[in-house]
Short mmCIF file of all heavy atoms in Angstrom, two decimals:
data_model
loop_
_atom_site.label_atom_id
_atom_site.label_comp_id
_atom_site.label_asym_id
_atom_site.label_seq_id
_atom_site.Cartn_x
_atom_site.Cartn_y
_atom_site.Cartn_z
N ILE A 1589 3.92 39.26 9.27
CA ILE A 1589 3.37 38.88 7.98
C ILE A 1589 4.26 38.68 6.89
O ILE A 1589 5.05 39.59 6.71
CB ILE A 1589 2.16 39.73 7.61
CG1 ILE A 1589 1.27 40.13 8.80
CG2 ILE A 1589 1.40 39.24 6.48
CD1 ILE A 1589 0.30 41.30 8.49
N ALA A 1590 4.42 37.62 6.27
CA ALA A 1590 5.18 37.38 5.16
C ALA A 1590 4.56 36.74 3.99
O ALA A 1590 3.74 35.78 4.03
CB ALA A 1590 6.42 36.44 5.52
N PRO A 1591 4.56 37.47 2.73
CA PRO A 1591 4.07 36.86 1.59
C PRO A 1591 4.81 35.51 1.18
O PRO A 1591 6.06 35.58 1.22
CB PRO A 1591 4.28 37.98 0.43
CG PRO A 1591 5.07 39.00 1.03
CD PRO A 1591 5.36 38.74 2.49
N VAL A 1592 4.11 34.51 0.91
CA VAL A 1592 4.80 33.30 0.47
C VAL A 1592 4.13 32.66 -0.76
O VAL A 1592 2.93 32.95 -1.07
CB VAL A 1592 4.89 32.21 1.59
CG1 VAL A 1592 5.75 32.63 2.74
CG2 VAL A 1592 3.39 32.03 2.13
N LYS A 1593 4.82 31.61 -1.38
CA LYS A 1593 4.35 30.74 -2.38
C LYS A 1593 3.78 29.55 -1.69
O LYS A 1593 4.56 28.96 -0.85
CB LYS A 1593 5.34 30.39 -3.43
CG LYS A 1593 5.52 31.50 -4.35
CD LYS A 1593 5.03 31.01 -5.76
CE LYS A 1593 5.21 31.88 -6.76
NZ LYS A 1593 4.11 32.88 -6.84
N LEU A 1594 2.54 29.26 -1.79
CA LEU A 1594 2.09 28.17 -1.07
C LEU A 1594 2.12 26.69 -1.76
O LEU A 1594 1.60 25.76 -1.05
CB LEU A 1594 0.57 28.41 -0.48
CG LEU A 1594 0.47 29.54 0.64
CD1 LEU A 1594 -1.12 29.80 0.89
CD2 LEU A 1594 1.03 29.04 1.80
N GLY A 1595 2.61 26.77 -3.02
CA GLY A 1595 2.53 25.53 -3.67
C GLY A 1595 3.82 25.49 -4.55
O GLY A 1595 4.82 26.39 -4.15
N TYR A 1596 4.03 24.48 -5.33
CA TYR A 1596 5.13 24.36 -6.23
C TYR A 1596 4.94 24.78 -7.59
O TYR A 1596 3.84 24.67 -8.00
CB TYR A 1596 5.72 22.90 -6.04
CG TYR A 1596 6.00 22.62 -4.57
CD1 TYR A 1596 5.24 21.75 -3.91
CD2 TYR A 1596 7.16 23.08 -4.01
CE1 TYR A 1596 5.46 21.48 -2.56
CE2 TYR A 1596 7.45 22.81 -2.81
CZ TYR A 1596 6.57 22.05 -1.99
OH TYR A 1596 6.94 21.71 -0.74
N GLY A 1597 6.00 25.04 -8.29
CA GLY A 1597 5.94 25.28 -9.68
C GLY A 1597 5.25 26.65 -9.91
O GLY A 1597 4.95 27.38 -9.17
N LYS A 1598 5.05 26.82 -11.25
CA LYS A 1598 4.47 28.12 -11.79
C LYS A 1598 3.04 28.34 -11.23
O LYS A 1598 2.62 29.41 -11.08
CB LYS A 1598 4.51 28.05 -13.28
CG LYS A 1598 5.93 28.36 -13.77
CD LYS A 1598 5.86 29.00 -15.22
CE LYS A 1598 7.23 29.32 -15.73
NZ LYS A 1598 7.54 28.37 -16.84
N GLN A 1599 2.31 27.09 -11.16
CA GLN A 1599 0.89 27.25 -10.71
C GLN A 1599 0.76 27.48 -9.24
O GLN A 1599 -0.33 27.61 -8.77
CB GLN A 1599 0.13 26.00 -11.15
CG GLN A 1599 0.31 25.46 -12.54
CD GLN A 1599 -0.25 26.46 -13.47
OE1 GLN A 1599 -1.25 27.07 -13.29
NE2 GLN A 1599 0.57 26.65 -14.67
N GLY A 1600 1.84 27.29 -8.42
CA GLY A 1600 1.85 27.49 -7.03
C GLY A 1600 1.05 28.63 -6.51
O GLY A 1600 1.40 29.89 -6.94
N ALA A 1601 0.03 28.53 -5.81
CA ALA A 1601 -0.82 29.59 -5.38
C ALA A 1601 0.03 30.54 -4.45
O ALA A 1601 0.80 29.91 -3.77
CB ALA A 1601 -2.05 29.16 -4.68
N SER A 1602 -0.26 31.71 -4.40
CA SER A 1602 0.53 32.58 -3.45
C SER A 1602 -0.33 32.93 -2.24
O SER A 1602 -1.64 32.75 -2.34
CB SER A 1602 1.00 33.83 -4.12
OG SER A 1602 0.04 34.52 -4.63
N GLY A 1603 0.16 33.23 -1.24
CA GLY A 1603 -0.62 33.50 0.04
C GLY A 1603 0.33 34.23 1.08
O GLY A 1603 1.31 34.82 0.62
N PHE A 1604 -0.01 34.07 2.30
CA PHE A 1604 0.72 34.69 3.41
C PHE A 1604 0.94 33.82 4.55
O PHE A 1604 0.01 33.02 4.84
CB PHE A 1604 -0.13 36.14 3.79
CG PHE A 1604 -0.21 37.04 2.62
CD1 PHE A 1604 -1.39 36.87 1.77
CD2 PHE A 1604 0.71 37.91 2.35
CE1 PHE A 1604 -1.53 37.73 0.79
CE2 PHE A 1604 0.61 38.79 1.22
CZ PHE A 1604 -0.46 38.66 0.47
N VAL A 1605 1.88 34.09 5.31
CA VAL A 1605 2.09 33.29 6.55
C VAL A 1605 2.10 34.48 7.68
O VAL A 1605 2.84 35.45 7.55
CB VAL A 1605 3.32 32.51 6.53
CG1 VAL A 1605 3.65 32.06 7.96
CG2 VAL A 1605 3.23 31.26 5.64
N VAL A 1606 1.28 34.25 8.57
CA VAL A 1606 1.08 35.23 9.70
C VAL A 1606 1.51 34.61 10.92
O VAL A 1606 1.08 33.45 11.34
CB VAL A 1606 -0.53 35.70 9.86
CG1 VAL A 1606 -0.55 36.66 10.90
CG2 VAL A 1606 -0.93 36.20 8.51
N LEU A 1607 2.41 35.25 11.66
CA LEU A 1607 2.96 34.64 13.00
C LEU A 1607 2.26 35.53 14.05
O LEU A 1607 2.20 36.82 14.00
CB LEU A 1607 4.48 34.88 12.94
CG LEU A 1607 5.16 34.00 13.91
CD1 LEU A 1607 5.78 32.79 13.15
CD2 LEU A 1607 6.32 34.76 14.48
N LEU A 1608 1.71 34.94 15.07
CA LEU A 1608 1.00 35.73 16.20
C LEU A 1608 1.75 35.24 17.55
O LEU A 1608 1.89 34.13 17.80
CB LEU A 1608 -0.36 35.28 16.29
CG LEU A 1608 -1.17 35.58 14.96
CD1 LEU A 1608 -2.45 34.96 15.11
CD2 LEU A 1608 -1.29 37.09 14.79
N ARG A 1609 2.08 36.27 18.34
CA ARG A 1609 2.66 36.00 19.66
C ARG A 1609 2.03 36.73 20.71
O ARG A 1609 1.83 38.12 20.42
CB ARG A 1609 4.14 36.14 19.58
CG ARG A 1609 4.81 35.77 20.87
CD ARG A 1609 6.38 35.99 20.79
NE ARG A 1609 6.91 35.41 19.60
CZ ARG A 1609 8.15 35.84 19.02
NH1 ARG A 1609 8.64 36.86 19.44
NH2 ARG A 1609 8.43 35.17 17.92
N ASP A 1610 1.59 36.16 21.73
CA ASP A 1610 1.01 37.07 22.87
C ASP A 1610 2.17 37.57 23.64
O ASP A 1610 2.99 36.94 24.27
CB ASP A 1610 0.19 36.16 23.74
CG ASP A 1610 -0.67 36.88 24.85
OD1 ASP A 1610 -0.24 38.04 25.00
OD2 ASP A 1610 -1.56 36.40 25.27
N ILE A 1611 2.38 38.90 23.67
CA ILE A 1611 3.35 39.63 24.39
C ILE A 1611 2.87 40.49 25.51
O ILE A 1611 3.62 41.38 25.94
CB ILE A 1611 4.35 40.38 23.35
CG1 ILE A 1611 3.51 41.41 22.64
CG2 ILE A 1611 5.18 39.59 22.48
CD1 ILE A 1611 4.22 42.61 21.99
N THR A 1612 1.79 40.08 26.06
CA THR A 1612 1.15 40.82 27.15
C THR A 1612 2.18 41.01 28.36
O THR A 1612 2.38 41.90 28.93
CB THR A 1612 -0.15 40.15 27.57
OG1 THR A 1612 -0.92 40.03 26.34
CG2 THR A 1612 -0.88 41.08 28.54
N ARG A 1613 2.74 39.76 28.76
CA ARG A 1613 3.61 39.69 29.90
C ARG A 1613 4.89 40.47 29.65
O ARG A 1613 5.29 41.37 30.50
CB ARG A 1613 3.89 38.23 30.04
CG ARG A 1613 4.48 37.93 31.46
CD ARG A 1613 4.78 36.63 31.73
NE ARG A 1613 6.08 36.44 32.47
CZ ARG A 1613 6.37 36.90 33.76
NH1 ARG A 1613 5.30 37.34 34.37
NH2 ARG A 1613 7.53 36.74 34.22
N GLU A 1614 5.51 40.34 28.40
CA GLU A 1614 6.65 41.21 28.23
C GLU A 1614 6.26 42.66 28.27
O GLU A 1614 7.14 43.44 28.80
CB GLU A 1614 7.17 40.91 26.74
CG GLU A 1614 8.01 39.67 26.53
CD GLU A 1614 7.05 38.52 26.09
OE1 GLU A 1614 5.90 38.51 26.49
OE2 GLU A 1614 7.56 37.62 25.27
N LYS A 1615 5.25 43.16 27.71
CA LYS A 1615 4.89 44.49 27.65
C LYS A 1615 4.71 44.99 29.07
O LYS A 1615 5.09 46.08 29.39
CB LYS A 1615 3.47 44.57 26.96
CG LYS A 1615 3.59 44.91 25.44
CD LYS A 1615 3.65 46.35 25.24
CE LYS A 1615 4.21 46.62 23.87
NZ LYS A 1615 5.19 47.52 23.63
N SER A 1616 3.98 44.14 29.91
CA SER A 1616 3.80 44.74 31.28
C SER A 1616 4.98 44.82 32.04
O SER A 1616 5.26 45.78 32.83
CB SER A 1616 2.66 44.01 31.95
OG SER A 1616 3.16 42.78 32.44
N LEU A 1617 5.97 43.87 31.76
CA LEU A 1617 7.35 44.08 32.44
C LEU A 1617 8.11 45.27 32.03
O LEU A 1617 8.59 45.98 32.88
CB LEU A 1617 8.06 42.77 32.15
CG LEU A 1617 7.75 41.44 32.86
CD1 LEU A 1617 8.70 40.45 32.46
CD2 LEU A 1617 7.98 41.66 34.48
N GLU A 1618 7.91 45.51 30.63
CA GLU A 1618 8.65 46.70 30.07
C GLU A 1618 8.01 47.87 30.66
O GLU A 1618 8.69 48.81 31.11
CB GLU A 1618 8.37 46.62 28.68
CG GLU A 1618 9.35 47.24 27.73
CD GLU A 1618 9.01 46.98 26.33
OE1 GLU A 1618 9.12 45.90 25.80
OE2 GLU A 1618 8.39 47.90 25.77
N GLU A 1619 6.72 48.00 30.89
CA GLU A 1619 6.05 49.22 31.46
C GLU A 1619 6.29 49.34 32.90
O GLU A 1619 6.71 50.52 33.24
CB GLU A 1619 4.53 48.97 31.22
CG GLU A 1619 4.06 49.56 29.89
CD GLU A 1619 2.61 49.10 29.58
OE1 GLU A 1619 1.80 48.62 30.50
OE2 GLU A 1619 2.28 49.13 28.39
N GLU A 1620 6.53 48.24 33.58
CA GLU A 1620 6.81 48.31 34.98
C GLU A 1620 8.21 48.87 35.21
O GLU A 1620 8.44 49.69 36.08
CB GLU A 1620 6.74 46.99 35.71
CG GLU A 1620 5.39 46.62 36.23
CD GLU A 1620 5.34 45.25 36.90
OE1 GLU A 1620 6.46 44.76 37.26
OE2 GLU A 1620 4.37 44.58 36.66
N ARG A 1621 9.12 48.43 34.29
CA ARG A 1621 10.60 48.86 34.28
C ARG A 1621 10.65 50.34 33.98
O ARG A 1621 11.26 50.94 34.71
CB ARG A 1621 11.31 48.03 33.30
CG ARG A 1621 12.82 48.37 33.41
CD ARG A 1621 13.51 47.95 32.05
NE ARG A 1621 13.00 48.80 31.07
CZ ARG A 1621 13.14 48.54 29.69
NH1 ARG A 1621 13.76 47.52 29.34
NH2 ARG A 1621 12.62 49.36 28.84
N ASP A 1622 9.84 50.76 32.98
CA ASP A 1622 10.02 52.13 32.65
C ASP A 1622 9.37 53.09 33.79
O ASP A 1622 9.80 54.11 34.08
CB ASP A 1622 9.25 52.41 31.30
CG ASP A 1622 10.01 51.94 30.07
OD1 ASP A 1622 11.23 51.84 30.35
OD2 ASP A 1622 9.47 51.86 29.03
N GLU A 1623 8.34 52.58 34.37
CA GLU A 1623 7.70 53.30 35.41
C GLU A 1623 8.61 53.34 36.64
O GLU A 1623 8.79 54.44 37.25
CB GLU A 1623 6.43 52.47 35.93
CG GLU A 1623 5.64 53.07 37.01
CD GLU A 1623 4.75 54.28 36.65
OE1 GLU A 1623 4.50 54.38 35.49
OE2 GLU A 1623 4.53 55.08 37.54
N PHE A 1624 9.39 52.26 36.86
CA PHE A 1624 10.29 52.28 38.06
C PHE A 1624 11.44 53.30 37.80
O PHE A 1624 11.74 54.05 38.71
CB PHE A 1624 10.89 50.79 38.25
CG PHE A 1624 11.99 50.76 39.23
CD1 PHE A 1624 11.70 50.67 40.53
CD2 PHE A 1624 13.25 50.61 38.81
CE1 PHE A 1624 12.56 50.65 41.55
CE2 PHE A 1624 14.24 50.48 39.82
CZ PHE A 1624 13.85 50.44 41.12
N ILE A 1625 11.90 53.22 36.56
CA ILE A 1625 13.10 54.10 36.29
C ILE A 1625 12.58 55.56 36.38
O ILE A 1625 13.34 56.47 36.91
CB ILE A 1625 13.72 53.91 34.78
CG1 ILE A 1625 14.26 52.53 34.76
CG2 ILE A 1625 14.55 54.96 34.45
CD1 ILE A 1625 14.90 52.20 33.47
N SER A 1626 11.36 55.88 35.92
CA SER A 1626 10.77 57.22 35.87
C SER A 1626 10.75 57.76 37.29
O SER A 1626 11.08 58.72 37.62
CB SER A 1626 9.50 57.20 35.11
OG SER A 1626 8.85 58.17 35.40
N VAL A 1627 10.12 56.91 38.20
CA VAL A 1627 9.84 57.28 39.61
C VAL A 1627 11.24 57.47 40.29
O VAL A 1627 11.47 58.48 41.00
CB VAL A 1627 8.93 56.20 40.35
CG1 VAL A 1627 9.05 56.42 41.90
CG2 VAL A 1627 7.63 56.20 39.67
N VAL A 1628 12.09 56.48 40.18
CA VAL A 1628 13.46 56.55 40.89
C VAL A 1628 14.18 57.74 40.50
O VAL A 1628 14.71 58.58 41.22
CB VAL A 1628 14.21 55.23 40.71
CG1 VAL A 1628 15.62 55.38 41.23
CG2 VAL A 1628 13.47 54.07 41.41
N SER A 1629 14.30 58.01 39.13
CA SER A 1629 14.96 59.11 38.64
C SER A 1629 14.46 60.46 39.10
O SER A 1629 15.07 61.38 39.47
CB SER A 1629 15.29 59.10 37.13
OG SER A 1629 14.03 58.98 36.55
N HIS A 1630 13.15 60.49 39.20
CA HIS A 1630 12.53 61.71 39.58
C HIS A 1630 12.75 62.03 41.18
O HIS A 1630 13.18 63.01 41.51
CB HIS A 1630 10.90 61.44 39.39
CG HIS A 1630 10.23 62.83 39.82
ND1 HIS A 1630 10.15 63.87 38.84
CD2 HIS A 1630 9.52 63.31 40.92
CE1 HIS A 1630 9.47 64.89 39.37
NE2 HIS A 1630 9.13 64.60 40.61
N GLU A 1631 12.68 60.84 41.93
CA GLU A 1631 12.82 60.97 43.43
C GLU A 1631 14.41 61.39 43.68
O GLU A 1631 14.64 61.98 44.83
CB GLU A 1631 12.49 59.69 44.22
CG GLU A 1631 11.07 59.33 44.10
CD GLU A 1631 10.27 60.44 44.66
OE1 GLU A 1631 10.50 60.93 45.75
OE2 GLU A 1631 9.14 60.82 44.08
#
Side-chain angles (χ1 to χ4, degrees):
I1589 308 169
V1592 286
K1593 280 247 174 278
L1594 289 173
Y1596 298 105
K1598 281 204 180 107
Q1599 309 299 319
S1602 57
F1604 301 89
V1605 168
V1606 183
L1607 200 97
L1608 302 169
R1609 185 181 305 152
D1610 187 339
I1611 51 162
T1612 309
R1613 202 178 131 69
E1614 285 95 325
K1615 269 272 167 226
S1616 76
L1617 284 177
E1618 213 174 275
E1619 275 162 19
E1620 267 173 38
R1621 188 202 60 194
D1622 286 344
E1623 176 75 26
F1624 176 75
I1625 294 179
S1626 159
V1627 170
V1628 170
S1629 53
H1630 187 82
E1631 293 302 315

